[in-house]
């Protein structure tokens, strides 16, 4: 199975890539490294959990989150969790 998709003709938000992966092939590999492989479902679960921890620790819209780690699977998961936390927080505010 190739681990490459079609060329992108325009910028795509990482969150949209996650949603598409979950919808089209949730049990297929989403992230691969030399020592780790996450499916789309595992990536979604991990980033949702991390986003919940960020919100529980007081993260608010427009806060800045510092990340200091090497380029690895967990760094991308951190970015996705930040996007998810922002979307959850905004959706809670808009429901009020």
């Amino acid at each position: 199975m190739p681990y490459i998709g079609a060329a992108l003709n325009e910028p795509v938000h990482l969150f949209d890539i996650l949603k598409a992966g979950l919808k089209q092939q949730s049990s297929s590999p989403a992230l691969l490294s030399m020592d780790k492989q996450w499916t789309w479902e595992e990536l979604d679960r991990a980033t949702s959990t991390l986003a919940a921890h960020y919100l529980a620790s007081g993260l608010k819209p427009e806060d800045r989150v510092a990340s200091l780690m090497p380029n690895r699977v967990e760094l991308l998961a951190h970015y996705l969790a930040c996007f998810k936390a922002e979307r959850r927080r905004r959706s809670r505010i808009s429901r009020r």
Side-chain angles (χ1 to χ4, degrees):
M1 177 179 169
Y3 295 111
I4 189 166
L8 299 174
N9 297 323
E10 57 188 48
V12 178
H13 195 284
L14 284 176
F15 193 76
D16 294 332
I17 294 172
L18 177 60
K19 286 192 311 187
L22 281 167
K23 182 178 178 182
Q24 296 171 8
Q25 49 194 359
S26 62
S27 60
S28 295
L31 291 177
L32 303 167
S33 71
M34 296 297 283
D35 60 339
K36 186 172 280 196
Q37 175 176 309
W38 284 357
T39 65
W40 291 102
E41 290 170 337
E42 291 168 334
L43 180 60
D44 183 51
R45 231 180 352 263
T47 56
S48 292
T49 300
L50 189 53
H53 285 296
Y54 289 160
L55 291 171
S57 68
L59 185 69
K60 297 182 295 291
E62 299 186 23
D63 280 354
R64 289 175 173 83
V65 177
S67 54
L68 182 59
M69 65 178 82
N71 291 336
R72 55 188 313 149
V73 172
E74 291 83 2
L75 181 60
L76 186 54
H78 160 73
Y79 289 146
L80 284 166
C82 288
F83 294 142
K84 282 185 173 189
E86 176 71 11
R87 286 181 184 233
R88 284 185 189 175
R89 184 84 170 134
R90 286 182 188 263
S91 69
R92 283 187 209 156
I93 292 169
S94 67
R95 282 189 236 146
R96 292 181 185 169

